Amino acid sequence: MSGSSAVSCSAPCRFAHYFVICGIDTETGLEPDDLAGENFEQSPLKRTFKSKVLAHYPENVIGNPFDQDAVNMLCMPKGLSFRTQADQRQPQFHSFIITKEDGSRTYGFVHTFYEEVTSPQICSAMQTLYQMHNAEHASDNPPSSSSSSSMDSLASSLDEVDSPTSSSSLSSCRAAGSYDTSRDTLYVSKALCLITPMPFMHACRRFLSQLHKAVTAATAPPLPLESYIHNILYEVPLPAPGRSLKFHSVYEPIVCQRPGLGELPLADFPLAEAFSLLGVENLVQVFTCTLLEMQILLYSQDYQRLMTVAEGITTLLFPFQWQHVYVPILPASLLHFLDAPVPYLMGLQSKEGTDRSKLELPQEANLCFVDIDNHYIELPEDFPQFPNKTEFIQELSEVLLSFGISANGGAPSRTRNSPGSTPSTPSRECKTVTLWQLEDDGRNGNLAGEELSVLELLQGNTTLERLQALTKRTGVTVAHVDALRAGIKAQRAEGHGGRTVAEEEELRHAKLNVQLREVFASRFTAMFADYEAFVIQSAPDLESWLTNREQMHNFDKASFLSDQPEPYLPFLSHFIETQMFATFIDNKIMSQWEEKEPLLHVFDARIDKARLYNVRAPSLRSSNYQRCSNLKECAQAIEQRLMKINHTAIHPHLLDMKIGQGKYMQGSFPKLQADVLNTGPASNKWSHRMTTTPRKKDRHRQQTEHLNLENDLKEKYMQEARSLGKNIRQPKLSDLSPAVIAQTNWKFVEGLLKECRLKTKRMLVEKMGREAVELGHGEANITGLEENTLIASLCDLLERIWSHGLQVKQGKSALWSHLLHYQAREENLEQQQAESPACHVPERRKSDGSVSMPSLRVYLIQDMRHIQSMSEIKTDVGRARAWIRLSLEKKLLSQHLKQLLSRQTLTKKLYKRYAFLRCEEEKEQFLFHLLSLNAVDYFCFTSVFTTIMIPYRVVIIPIKKLSNAMTTSNPWVCVSGELGDSGIMQIPKNVLEMTFDSAFRPHTHISALFKCQNLGKLTTVQLGHDNAGLLAKWLVDCVMVRNEITGHTYRFPCGRWLGKGVDDGSLERVLIGELVVPSGEEESGRGWRTPPLQRSPTQTRRISITSLSGRGYKPTSAQIQEAIGEAVNSIIKHFHKPEKERGSLTILLCGENSLVAALEQFFYHGFKSARLFQKTMFVWDFVEKAVAYMESADQMGDLQETTEHLGMSCQSLYRYVSAINSTPRNIGKDGKFQLLVCLGARDRLLPQWLPLLVECPVILQMYEDTALLRDRTPVHALIAVLETLHDFPITLESSLVKGIDL
């Protein structure tokens, strides 16, 4: 009992938790590893066989129970591997990681070597397999025994990896049946493994290599192997934070250090190797994919390379943490896990010579594929770049070059194995150091003076040198001389402070690691220096926050993005939507009730320090690159720890073993004594000898900190499970039964449905505007950038749903592949039935009140054809995303997908039973969530594909009650949008069309179809004619324009005459448009639609035929002044939005409730009507008379006494009015007044012109005494309001100022 209790109480602070041996079980014999893939075509030596955990010590550790299946699978991912004496048998090292459900990690370090098979049964079984294999090949006569199937490319055996140079030369003799028990010696792989709570990779690697060296050495090690294993399991503690530790292995002491609480966390995997393998630019790109939580697949022949790159990338994420599936080494039995429809970071072992094209992956739409061995990466489409990427790469390259490492990918890795870890020659394997060479304290291998003189005598003697070389070639070893030589080489190579070559190399890598990590950390410190200001602390306590987690907005994303430099936005808008950023903010919020999460604590401390040295306001943000300033300090901290060892662990010592135990037999790893290794020391007398009082305090403090850290992590992940649901971080390795696999897939289905619900809800809340705010959903502020990010995220989710449970992968986009299958099937049915698709495809009419546009057919395949005709899109992934955007903009996404999935025979053919798309209830909920997106308006297709050609239909609708339905003149239109205009298009005469409204009343109109480059959201239509013929006068009700691809219909109200001698004599009008609500949505979506961008959602349009220009309607003076204030306020708000989000200024200047409309009302108030003038008068008449009076007064000298400023204002007013009157356009009197207001607003002249018009005597003839224009108070107020526009650069559309030369 005492032993087990010692294990449990010391487990949190022990350096290693388990020592494991994996290999062949001689009792069960050779068992083919079926899960690794069918490999019976290969020769028996190339096949994989099941390995077993032969022993592990101790039996169990509280808090970290031993998972036998997982450890066995990761120690030997490809099972057992066999060799003969003709093969290379170099030891291999790799590491692995086990991620638990709560997110905590355990690290494993494995030393794999080849041991002679001593069991005659195993040798006999191997020979039998060879005889059967040769017999089969003799009968079948296949040309080659190697398989090139896709499974073979995914599941290859270790021999290609271990001996790439010899595999081809040996394949021919093996195929001929080269193994014979009488002639050949059979070797089998065996793995020694240390499982530790922290990633001390270099220390574990050196310990395991020395342990193996002790077995292969010519002489026995100084102590039984049990002594060294017992020592590292029970007597070597974890280094305290900020301290270094020295402990002893078989031959050499090993030093490791742990960063302090304020430093970057421990990372012992060599980043230099990761950068050398991929190159700086490639690694930064993969790092960016990881930050954006894409699917990342690493591919290499070498397990340790997979682990090095995976750990390197995740280490660089500080202060963020990867929140999804993390399996740096994916065992062959878990290849089905690549089907996971979630973000993942996985490593897959490649087979030598395997072509990338043969690697069939379930989904590639959002995949970052990293071929480590070939220094090659494939990136997803629509991939935003990391901010300041060029300068960032330059800084990283300089750090690497300062350590002598090339910044270009493909350079051989400069990291060297520590002595003994991977011996390169048999002679090195035979080197040994006997017990008498170790001094009593065992702390070093220093040579005595007598031995040094012997070696010096040998150094210059050429005869002895040749003799020794001869003995090496014949296999005879002069062990003592070899040992002396090795010792003196180590001594001569000792660096500063008496360090060996290995220690110097480790120090170099530790310094490089921390400097590279500091460069990355400083980028995040710069980018998120003010993140805390945007964290929303809304909950009064932790319990209420956890309860309402999903409903709460924890971070003000819109404000944060508006505070960032423009070049950062594409990346940051995606990044702040990730789970890792959400978890980071959650940790920040919880830190007000609990102790800070360690990474957050370090990050916040760095931000506070940066503020002390660099005080700046958030508004002064710039995209200037800030280099890391603390590279030297962080490297010095590590060097000081390694130079001054803070703690030396108890030395290995003889254990209380029975006589005869711990026997040594060269070449084979002995069976260890379980009774001494399963229990720790009941009372550790060695600890008192080496530990002083301060060190006891350090250990106690460190143990307390570690326990607190574990409790915090448990609490953190407990709440995360309650609020966000559990993420599957690693497949369950211990149970691969169909039931468990089905349960895992069910978790994926639930996760996808939940993600869909959260994404659609977020998209709705962000778009719904004022209604959402009134419902308590936070700000209604969404930028186009954010919207685009959310839609891209939805596209990614749909791709992952469609690739879950695929039977056979076809193309990179699973969704587009399904659509193509559907299209082929439907087109075949159409041909067979030879009937109109209208029979089984619904149609939808878009209407506006009583007037109908020609019907636009709703047809899934028609939308596909639109996408297929777009030459700008080159890939299937791009086509799928464009189709999603088009369907979303047309409010048909849910309907189209429902139609697609209604062909159940096709779905069953393409998908396995467990696939999301075959779970009926979840599928219905999913479609319902997508249906909710119809409540808001999206322009996600129109705004993204700006260069495509789009057909537009224009319909001109006359008012035939008061005028002719047709005109004899030649009409023309010019349609303008946010992206450009169509140019003037002549409409053919007599293109009459007849449509019927809901009451079957006929309506006649002119319709024309034209094609031009995407105009974006439509803003204005210029409509005119040439006044030719007898029926030239034309009263137009409105113009309708429809985008024939998206179906968006715009109505441009007119209600005015076009013709000479009628109305204001205009032959041309500029009409302002509004988006029409489709009639089918009038009832369903009226209450919670996005408010139209063109006009206020609370006021209805007031255009009537009888009250031309709205002059029949008589608003009060208070209403007019309020309307002017609102119009000016709208323009100011427009300019306070980000430039890309502003929309059209023309609508605010000339549309309904615009500045022109409000000023018209101001000028028409108290205007004397036609009863006094015998003809209709317009405001422009007053302006012309006033200007004429001022001009004549100026000529007569009456204005000479006015100030110079007033004189300049007069001159500008003359100039503008004459320029407008001399324009070749026939825009009419109201059109001229509109133009004057727009030009005056643009050039900041309106406040100067108003006093001139008010003081002019003409006003007494044309305005009543009560008119607003004759009341100084409202006039001064109007001037003050208009002056507020002077701060903004007003630009006018070309459709407004065409023909004006000012």
Side-chain angles (χ1 to χ4, degrees):
M1 287 295 288
S2 64
S4 61
S5 64
V7 172
S8 63
C9 71
S10 62
C13 61
R14 281 182 9 217
F15 182 88
H17 284 181
Y18 293 102
F19 178 78
V20 186
I21 306 166
C22 294
I24 189 166
D25 186 347
T26 53
E27 293 182 6
T28 56
L30 290 179
E31 291 184 81
D33 192 355
D34 299 328
L35 290 170
E38 295 293 333
N39 56 4
F40 298 115
E41 287 296 313
Q42 295 177 317
S43 64
L45 281 175
K46 287 188 178 182
R47 296 178 192 172
T48 54
F49 298 90
K50 284 184 182 177
S51 62
K52 295 277 180 69
V53 173
L54 304 178
H56 71 275
Y57 311 102
E59 284 294 328
N60 213 9
V61 172
I62 293 174
N64 185 17
F66 187 74
D67 189 339
Q68 182 159 310
D69 292 326
V71 171
N72 178 46
M73 199 176 285
L74 292 168
C75 277
M76 294 189 144
K78 295 293 182 187
L80 295 171
S81 176
F82 286 90
R83 296 281 188 276
T84 66
Q85 77 284 352
D87 299 316
Q88 292 188 23
R89 302 187 304 282
Q90 289 185 4
Q92 297 287 323
F93 173 84
H94 78 271
S95 42
F96 63 82
I97 193 168
I98 295 177
T99 311
K100 300 177 188 173
E101 283 190 2
D102 65 358
S104 59
R105 292 175 175 179
T106 299
Y107 294 85
F109 302 96
V110 186
H111 183 89
T112 307
F113 61 98
Y114 286 89
E115 193 174 72
E116 186 178 340
V117 177
T118 55
S119 165
Q121 291 88 353
I122 301 292
C123 295
S124 174
M126 182 59 72
Q127 183 160 13
T128 304
L129 285 172
Y130 249 108
Q131 290 168 352
M132 293 167 62
H133 175 74
N134 291 339
E136 287 173 12
H137 274 251
S139 59
D140 297 341
N141 286 325
S144 171
S145 63
S146 61
S147 169
S148 60
S149 66
S150 61
M151 177 54 75
D152 200 21
S153 71
L154 286 172
S156 62
S157 58
L158 262 171
D159 56 318
E160 269 86 358
V161 179
D162 294 339
S163 54
T165 54
S166 61
S167 59
S168 57
S169 60
L170 292 170
S171 59
S172 57
C173 61
R174 281 185 182 165
S178 64
Y179 177 68
D180 189 330
T181 50
S182 61
R183 184 185 67 232
D184 297 317
T185 306
L186 189 64
Y187 295 88
V188 67
S189 55
K190 179 174 274 190
L192 307 179
C193 173
L194 270 181
I195 292 177
T196 65
M198 298 188 77
F200 290 105
M201 194 269 288
H202 285 99
C204 293
R205 183 172 192 161
R206 290 182 64 191
F207 177 84
L208 291 171
S209 65
Q210 288 188 49
L211 207 60
H212 174 234
K213 185 177 176 182
V215 175
T216 56
T219 54
L223 294 169
L225 296 184
E226 284 87 347
S227 296
Y228 303 105
I229 295 166
H230 184 275
N231 177 252
I232 201 166
L233 286 177
Y234 301 109
E235 294 166 340
V236 177
L238 278 173
R243 299 300 183 98
S244 55
L245 169 76
K246 183 178 187 178
F247 65 95
H248 296 83
S249 184
V250 185
Y251 302 118
E252 297 172 348
I254 295 170
V255 177
C256 56
Q257 59 88 31
R258 183 175 171 189
L261 296 175
E263 298 176 58
L264 295 176
L266 176 67
D268 206 25
F269 288 85
L271 282 174
E273 187 176 346
F275 276 94
S276 295
L277 288 167
L278 293 182
V280 180
E281 182 164 6
N282 279 351
L283 192 134
V284 169
Q285 296 284 58
V286 177
F287 171 73
T288 310
C289 288
T290 311
L291 284 170
L292 300 178
E293 296 187 337
M294 297 174 174
Q295 292 178 324
I296 294 144
L297 184 64
L298 309 177
Y299 196 57
S300 173
Q301 294 185 46
D302 189 324
Y303 291 127
Q304 186 58 14
R305 283 184 175 183
L306 294 173
M307 191 71 182
T308 298
V309 173
E311 277 294 287
I313 289 169
T314 52
T315 294
L316 297 172
L317 294 175
F318 168 87
F320 309 103
Q321 293 171 287
W322 181 254
Q323 298 293 319
H324 301 279
V325 176
Y326 182 63
V327 193
I329 297 174
L330 187 68
S333 53
L334 288 175
L335 293 179
H336 64 275
F337 212 75
L338 289 170
D339 194 23
V342 292
Y344 60 66
L345 202 169
M346 294 199 242
L348 189 63
Q349 194 204 29
S350 62
K351 182 178 179 181
E352 189 205 1
T354 302
D355 187 3
R356 159 73 179 98
S357 59
K358 292 180 182 176
L359 186 63
E360 289 293 334
L361 299 169
Q363 50 194 337
E364 296 185 46
N366 204 38
L367 179 75
C368 172
F369 180 80
V370 185
D371 189 340
I372 297 173
D373 300 337
N374 295 313
H375 327 293
Y376 162 74
I377 62 172
E378 290 176 17
L379 295 170
E381 295 179 24
D382 304 328
F383 175 67
Q385 298 298 324
F386 193 73
N388 296 115
K389 180 183 153 194
T390 306
E391 297 93 331
F392 185 45
I393 287 173
Q394 178 64 31
E395 186 177 9
L396 291 169
S397 301
E398 288 173 14
V399 173
L400 287 165
L401 286 170
S402 70
F403 284 83
I405 294 171
S406 168
N408 299 319
S413 172
R414 290 179 58 89
T415 54
R416 292 190 300 210
N417 298 319
S418 48
S421 62
T422 310
S424 57
T425 60
S427 62
R428 279 188 66 181
E429 292 180 40
C430 298
K431 289 179 186 175
T432 182
V433 183
T434 50
L435 183 57
W436 59 266
Q437 289 175 273
L438 294 171
E439 291 186 9
D440 291 340
D441 63 2
R443 274 178 250 177
N444 55 44
N446 290 342
L447 298 175
E450 184 185 354
E451 297 155 359
L452 187 56
S453 63
V454 170
L455 192 62
E456 285 173 349
L457 175 67
L458 293 171
Q459 291 291 347
N461 193 317
T462 53
T463 308
L464 288 174
E465 287 285 329
R466 283 202 296 270
L467 183 61
Q468 191 182 15
L470 180 62
T471 60
K472 281 188 179 180
R473 284 201 298 273
T474 55
V476 179
T477 308
V478 188
H480 184 47
V481 174
D482 277 355
L484 290 175
R485 187 183 299 279
I488 197 66
K489 276 184 180 176
Q491 269 194 331
R492 287 183 174 172
E494 276 180 2
H496 307 291
R499 290 190 293 270
T500 64
V501 174
E503 288 169 346
E504 273 298 315
E505 194 70 11
E506 284 178 28
L507 172 61
R508 178 173 168 274
H509 281 301
K511 287 163 73 173
L512 175 56
N513 264 20
V514 77
Q515 289 196 8
L516 288 169
R517 293 172 68 204
E518 285 290 347
V519 174
F520 279 83
S522 74
R523 293 308 309 129
F524 288 123
T525 307
M527 277 193 279
F528 294 97
D530 299 314
Y531 86 94
E532 201 170 345
F534 304 98
V535 176
I536 301 170
Q537 309 268 12
S538 53
D541 54 65
L542 178 61
E543 192 61 38
S544 62
W545 183 80
L546 291 173
T547 307
N548 301 302
R549 168 69 189 87
E550 284 187 14
Q551 284 73 40
M552 286 187 174
H553 284 254
N554 294 333
F555 192 73
D556 186 354
K557 295 175 181 177
S559 299
F560 173 76
L561 289 175
S562 67
D563 195 39
Q564 304 307 310
E566 183 79 17
Y568 290 14
L569 295 179
F571 169 79
L572 285 176
S573 61
H574 282 77
F575 178 66
I576 62 175
E577 298 294 334
T578 60
Q579 183 64 50
M580 73 172 78
F581 185 77
T583 304
F584 173 76
I585 297 300
D586 288 351
N587 288 338
K588 180 64 181 176
I589 291 172
M590 286 194 296
S591 68
Q592 63 186 315
W593 302 295
E594 296 180 343
E595 191 176 343
K596 264 190 187 177
E597 194 268 336
L599 293 182
L600 179 66
H601 177 81
V602 176
F603 188 65
D604 282 352
R606 283 165 175 257
I607 289 176
D608 293 340
K609 184 179 177 183
R611 282 187 184 139
L612 288 175
Y613 294 105
N614 182 23
V615 180
R616 59 170 175 75
S619 58
L620 300 177
R621 274 198 180 279
S622 75
S623 57
N624 291 337
Y625 187 78
Q626 300 172 19
R627 295 175 75 90
C628 184
S629 58
N630 63 330
L631 294 181
K632 288 183 181 177
E633 294 90 330
C634 61
Q636 285 168 358
I638 285 183
E639 189 163 11
Q640 285 166 6
R641 272 200 294 273
L642 290 175
M643 285 179 71
K644 183 184 175 184
I645 305 300
N646 300 113
H647 181 64
T648 301
I650 303 165
H651 290 230
H653 51 85
L654 284 169
L655 302 173
D656 187 14
M657 294 167 62
K658 296 173 185 175
I659 296 172
Q661 291 185 334
K663 283 193 298 186
Y664 172 77
M665 187 162 62
Q666 184 184 359
S668 63
F669 200 83
K671 185 175 183 182
L672 302 174
Q673 303 305 311
D675 51 347
V676 294
L677 291 179
N678 274 330
T679 55
S683 60
N684 197 340
K685 60 187 178 183
W686 295 278
S687 61
H688 302 295
R689 190 177 73 186
M690 293 300 297
T691 309
T692 60
T693 306
R695 288 175 182 169
K696 282 183 181 176
K697 288 181 181 175
D698 282 341
R699 178 180 285 188
H700 176 72
R701 187 188 71 183
Q702 174 265 329
Q703 181 175 343
T704 308
E705 286 165 352
H706 198 90
L707 285 168
N708 288 341
L709 173 61
E710 284 201 339
N711 291 335
D712 286 350
L713 280 171
K714 287 178 182 175
E715 179 63 22
K716 171 194 162 190
Y717 286 109
M718 181 194 76
Q719 69 82 20
E720 185 175 282
R722 290 169 60 188
S723 59
L724 297 173
K726 289 183 181 177
N727 287 331
I728 298 176
R729 296 171 186 273
Q730 181 166 312
K732 195 167 184 180
L733 306 179
S734 53
D735 185 359
L736 293 173
S737 64
V740 169
I741 292 173
Q743 184 184 7
T744 302
N745 277 301
W746 181 245
K747 282 185 180 178
F748 286 147
V749 169
E750 287 182 323
L752 289 169
L753 183 61
K754 182 175 184 178
E755 192 179 345
C756 180
R757 176 169 59 84
L758 293 174
K759 271 189 169 53
T760 51
K761 180 182 175 182
R762 169 89 200 281
M763 290 171 73
L764 279 172
V765 166
E766 296 287 9
K767 279 287 281 185
M768 275 168 54
R770 186 176 301 169
E771 298 93 330
V773 178
E774 289 169 0
L775 293 170
H777 288 300
E779 291 192 22
N781 195 359
I782 182 169
T783 65
L785 187 70
E786 276 186 288
E787 179 181 313
N788 200 40
T789 303
L790 292 172
I791 291 167
S793 178
L794 178 70
C795 293
D796 167 43
L797 173 65
L798 293 179
E799 278 291 1
R800 286 191 278 121
I801 286 174
W802 253 259
S803 50
H804 181 238
L806 263 179
Q807 294 274 19
V808 180
K809 177 178 170 289
Q810 294 177 348
K812 288 198 171 185
S813 170
L815 174 57
W816 190 251
S817 174
H818 193 168
L819 285 166
L820 290 175
H821 279 101
Y822 175 85
Q823 183 182 24
R825 194 183 182 96
E826 292 298 303
E827 287 173 349
N828 284 339
L829 284 172
E830 283 178 11
Q831 289 174 359
Q832 290 169 10
Q833 295 170 0
E835 63 184 23
S836 170
C839 300
H840 57 275
V841 177
E843 288 188 356
R844 178 159 96 179
R845 288 177 180 270
K846 301 206 172 193
S847 67
D848 178 60
S850 61
V851 181
S852 296
M853 285 281 275
S855 60
L856 186 67
R857 186 173 162 199
V858 177
Y859 192 28
L860 186 159
I861 291 179
Q862 186 59 44
D863 286 345
M864 284 187 67
R865 288 170 184 156
H866 285 314
I867 302 301
Q868 286 165 328
S869 67
M870 290 165 60
S871 59
E872 294 85 352
I873 305 175
K874 310 293 184 188
T875 65
D876 286 353
V877 174
R879 291 183 189 99
R881 289 179 177 174
W883 181 85
I884 292 168
R885 286 175 176 275
L886 177 58
S887 302
L888 189 60
E889 184 164 327
K890 294 179 79 168
K891 304 192 176 187
L892 291 173
L893 183 59
S894 179
Q895 183 179 331
H896 276 349
L897 293 178
K898 188 174 184 179
Q899 181 72 24
L900 177 66
L901 296 171
S902 65
R903 302 291 185 261
Q904 292 190 359
T905 50
L906 178 61
T907 309
K908 286 178 181 177
K909 177 185 171 185
L910 296 176
Y911 289 92
K912 297 170 186 170
R913 181 63 194 91
Y914 63 75
F916 180 95
L917 297 177
R918 291 188 62 187
C919 299
E920 290 302 320
E921 189 176 335
E922 283 69 29
K923 184 176 72 178
E924 288 301 318
Q925 290 183 52
F926 157 71
L927 292 171
F928 177 77
H929 291 317
L930 292 182
L931 183 64
S932 67
L933 295 176
N934 289 4
V936 293
D937 297 326
Y938 285 104
F939 291 87
C940 49
F941 180 84
T942 305
S943 60
V944 169
F945 301 101
T946 56
T947 59
I948 62 172
M949 298 299 288
I950 288 182
Y952 291 92
R953 180 174 292 278
V954 178
V955 176
I956 303 168
I957 300 168
I959 302 172
K960 68 174 187 175
K961 288 180 182 177
L962 302 177
S963 77
N964 305 305
M966 284 301 299
T967 176
T968 55
S969 57
N970 299 298
W972 57 265
V973 292
C974 176
V975 182
S976 299
E978 292 180 355
L979 300 177
D981 65 62
S982 63
I984 290 177
M985 293 174 297
Q986 297 293 334
I987 296 174
K989 285 185 183 180
N990 304 321
V991 282
L992 272 176
E993 283 196 12
M994 185 80 76
T995 57
F996 295 88
D997 62 18
S998 54
F1000 292 97
R1001 292 188 294 264
H1003 293 276
T1004 309
H1005 52 255
I1006 294 173
S1007 177
L1009 191 69
F1010 66 93
K1011 203 168 188 178
C1012 69
Q1013 188 168 307
N1014 184 1
L1015 301 175
K1017 295 178 189 175
L1018 302 187
T1019 53
T1020 62
V1021 161
Q1022 289 170 259
L1023 174 66
H1025 64 75
D1026 61 358
N1027 204 42
L1030 294 173
L1031 302 174
K1033 296 172 184 175
W1034 198 21
L1035 180 59
V1036 176
D1037 178 34
C1038 66
V1039 176
M1040 307 285 287
V1041 182
R1042 183 173 67 202
N1043 180 322
E1044 293 292 284
I1045 291 181
T1046 66
H1048 281 314
T1049 304
Y1050 294 82
R1051 185 174 187 270
F1052 298 84
C1054 181
R1056 304 286 295 269
W1057 286 91
L1058 279 88
K1060 288 287 184 185
V1062 65
D1063 202 341
D1064 65 345
S1066 173
L1067 295 181
E1068 167 189 338
R1069 296 199 183 276
V1070 177
L1071 310 178
I1072 311 300
E1074 61 182 6
L1075 186 66
V1076 175
V1077 180
S1079 59
E1081 296 169 19
E1082 298 275 359
E1083 296 79 20
S1084 63
R1086 172 77 70 184
W1088 33 310
R1089 288 181 54 77
T1090 310
L1093 298 173
Q1094 289 83 357
R1095 56 190 176 90
S1096 165
T1098 57
Q1099 295 179 331
T1100 54
R1101 190 170 189 87
R1102 294 182 296 270
I1103 292 287
S1104 67
I1105 308 304
T1106 55
S1107 61
L1108 301 178
S1109 270
R1111 281 181 284 126
Y1113 174 70
K1114 301 290 185 186
T1116 64
S1117 59
Q1119 288 173 329
I1120 291 170
Q1121 291 178 76
E1122 184 184 350
I1124 290 171
E1126 285 184 6
V1128 171
N1129 199 29
S1130 296
I1131 294 171
I1132 293 171
K1133 283 181 180 177
H1134 167 90
F1135 283 103
H1136 277 94
K1137 293 177 184 176
E1139 193 171 346
K1140 292 181 180 177
E1141 322 302 335
R1142 289 176 183 171
S1144 172
L1145 184 61
T1146 305
I1147 289 158
L1148 302 179
L1149 289 172
C1150 307
E1152 185 187 21
N1153 307 312
S1154 66
L1155 182 65
V1156 169
L1159 287 175
E1160 267 188 353
Q1161 295 285 8
F1162 191 93
F1163 273 84
Y1164 274 117
H1165 186 267
F1167 192 65
K1168 290 181 179 179
S1169 63
R1171 58 191 168 82
L1172 295 176
F1173 298 111
Q1174 280 78 46
K1175 63 175 184 176
T1176 303
M1177 297 295 289
F1178 295 85
V1179 173
W1180 186 252
D1181 293 320
F1182 163 65
V1183 172
E1184 282 186 320
K1185 288 189 177 191
V1187 168
Y1189 172 83
M1190 284 184 269
E1191 200 170 4
S1192 63
D1194 186 27
Q1195 289 169 357
M1196 294 170 64
D1198 293 352
L1199 293 179
Q1200 286 176 355
E1201 297 176 4
T1202 59
T1203 62
E1204 184 182 348
H1205 176 71
L1206 199 60
M1208 289 179 66
S1209 300
C1210 285
Q1211 292 297 326
S1212 66
L1213 187 57
Y1214 306 154
R1215 195 158 54 88
Y1216 277 69
V1217 170
S1218 78
I1220 291 170
N1221 277 328
S1222 60
T1223 178
R1225 295 168 63 189
N1226 295 296
I1227 54 176
K1229 292 179 179 179
D1230 278 350
K1232 289 176 180 179
F1233 179 74
Q1234 172 177 289
L1235 190 51
L1236 182 69
V1237 171
C1238 290
L1239 290 169
R1242 182 191 73 180
D1243 298 335
R1244 301 179 174 87
L1245 294 170
L1246 284 178
Q1248 297 175 27
W1249 292 343
L1250 268 172
L1252 295 174
L1253 295 171
V1254 169
E1255 298 298 330
C1256 181
V1258 176
I1259 197 170
L1260 302 173
Q1261 303 168 20
M1262 303 189 73
Y1263 281 88
E1264 296 170 358
D1265 294 344
T1266 55
L1268 282 171
L1269 207 58
R1270 294 182 63 179
D1271 186 341
R1272 290 185 179 275
T1273 305
V1275 168
H1276 286 313
L1278 174 61
I1279 290 170
V1281 168
L1282 292 176
E1283 283 175 344
T1284 60
L1285 296 178
H1286 289 187
D1287 297 332
F1288 307 105
I1290 292 175
T1291 54
L1292 302 178
E1293 268 189 37
S1294 60
S1295 60
L1296 294 176
V1297 296
K1298 197 180 290 181
I1300 302 291
D1301 184 21
L1302 283 169

